[in-house]
Amino acid sequence: MGELLDFFLHIDVSLREAALAYPVATYGLLFAVIYTETAFFPLAPFFPGDGLLFAVGVLAAGGLIHPLIIIALLIVAASLGAWTGYRLGRQFGAAMFKRFEWLDKRAYTRSHAFYRKFGATALITSRFLPIVKALVPFVAGVAKMERVRFARYNVLSACLWVASLVSVGYFLGNVPFIRDHTGLLVIGLAAVFITGLGITVVTKLVRGRQVS
């Protein structure tokens, strides 16, 4: 845990050293991280997606990576990752509900209705929520959301997520405080998103109990 915290606190240093020593490999590493975080939701808690995108923007502001190339590359990574999660859900989701009797069948039924009505909104907003960004595509696959509709909003949400966070880091990257405290800002950004997720979950639980 201490090593993980140290990595987040000095993520700017780690990325800078990687970009200087292995400039091409750094692009591949960033692609792999974003793809994995968005493709496999059980692994999502171990990846710093949102904060990493901000840190990438700061790195680009320092001239160590090309901002447009990295934005385009990570949009592809995020889109492919979510598509992988969607395909996994579509391929194995229904079998999971049949295989494991303890899974709530009503949730499976409700997910179909939900994604027919709110699938596009869920895909876009979930990009900015840790863990959920990888879970939503899987559930969309389970719910058999239309492929073309999913693909359209998957790419749109990936563009918004990657471009916005990298751009913020890029345009603020030359501010001395931002440049010198990138690690702390990454942790703060993660805390904000996780807090928002927690509030959303608690609110829904409270409302559910009130209705029942």
Side-chain angles (χ1 to χ4, degrees):
M1 182 62 71
E3 293 180 358
L4 184 62
L5 180 60
D6 184 70
F7 172 78
F8 285 133
L9 284 172
H10 303 94
I11 192 171
D12 54 331
V13 176
S14 300
L15 288 177
R16 187 177 299 113
E17 290 177 350
L20 288 171
Y22 311 102
V24 176
T26 300
Y27 286 90
L29 175 63
L30 293 171
F31 182 97
V33 170
I34 295 301
Y35 171 81
T36 303
E37 186 204 17
T38 52
F40 310 108
F41 67 87
L43 300 177
F46 304 99
F47 289 84
D50 304 289
L52 179 64
L53 292 179
F54 177 82
V56 165
V58 174
L59 192 68
L64 295 177
I65 56 177
H66 195 287
L68 296 182
I69 292 177
I70 197 61
I71 286 176
L73 188 68
L74 297 187
I75 285 174
V76 173
S79 299
L80 289 178
W83 181 255
T84 299
Y86 170 79
R87 292 298 302 167
L88 289 173
R90 195 175 182 93
Q91 186 73 27
F92 303 109
M96 287 173 54
F97 280 89
K98 292 179 181 178
R99 172 76 174 174
F100 302 105
E101 296 181 356
W102 51 268
L103 289 174
D104 188 355
K105 303 298 191 298
R106 291 175 299 175
Y108 177 70
T109 302
R110 288 196 297 267
S111 68
H112 282 263
F114 176 84
Y115 277 92
R116 279 196 299 269
K117 188 173 183 179
F118 301 110
T121 302
L123 284 171
I124 293 173
T125 57
S126 69
R127 284 288 187 181
F128 297 88
L129 297 174
I131 304 175
V132 177
K133 70 167 62 69
L135 180 60
V136 164
F138 180 83
V139 178
V142 173
K144 298 294 193 296
M145 184 178 180
E146 298 90 341
R147 290 184 178 87
V148 174
R149 188 163 181 253
F150 176 85
R152 181 188 307 125
Y153 289 104
N154 174 34
V155 174
L156 174 60
S157 64
C159 290
L160 292 174
W161 180 52
V162 173
S164 63
L165 291 177
V166 174
S167 295
V168 169
Y170 180 78
F171 288 113
L172 296 179
N174 287 320
V175 176
F177 179 82
I178 301 293
R179 185 181 61 244
D180 297 336
H181 299 85
T182 303
L184 290 175
L185 290 170
V186 166
I187 293 177
L189 187 62
V192 168
F193 285 128
I194 291 174
T195 300
L197 174 60
I199 292 174
T200 301
V201 171
V202 171
T203 301
K204 288 188 176 295
L205 289 174
V206 172
R207 288 179 179 175
R209 290 182 178 180
Q210 290 176 345
V211 172
S212 59

